[in-house]
């Protein structure tokens, strides 16, 4: 069974990158407009962390699927 990086995984990675980019962009806009506050910093940091976390979970999921496939291939002798 082939579980390489599929369209769904790529879409999730793009979404996670977009979420993180929104957080970084919002931080830049708030800072340049003078509206930067501790609350704004916390919210934009949370958005960036959310995006990065989603991306990390996608990578872990793909890695686990590959490891599971490799283990099952070794167990039954079939590639």
């Amino acid at each position: 069974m082939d579980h390489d990086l599929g369209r769904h995984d790529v879409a999730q990675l793009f979404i996670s990158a977009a979420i993180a980019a929104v957080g970084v962009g919002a931080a830049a806009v708030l800072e340049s407009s003078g509206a930067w506050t501790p609350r704004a910093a916390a919210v934009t940091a949370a958005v960036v962390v959310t995006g990065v976390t989603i991306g990390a979970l996608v990578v872990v999921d793909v890695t686990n699927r590959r490891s599971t496939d490799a283990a099952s291939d070794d167990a039954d002798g079939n590639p």
Side-chain angles (χ1 to χ4, degrees):
M1 193 181 307
D2 187 20
H3 284 296
D4 286 335
L5 199 62
R7 289 186 312 213
H8 187 261
D9 300 318
V10 172
Q12 287 178 329
L13 288 173
F14 275 115
I15 291 167
S16 68
I19 292 169
V22 165
V24 171
V29 168
L30 289 169
E31 186 176 14
S32 67
S33 69
W36 190 250
T37 63
R39 178 175 281 181
V43 170
T44 55
V47 171
V48 172
V49 168
T50 299
V52 171
T53 301
I54 292 169
L57 291 172
V58 172
V59 170
V60 167
D61 180 49
V62 170
T63 303
N64 284 341
R65 282 186 280 158
R66 286 184 178 173
S67 296
T68 302
D69 283 350
S72 69
D73 290 345
D74 289 343
D76 64 13
N78 296 325

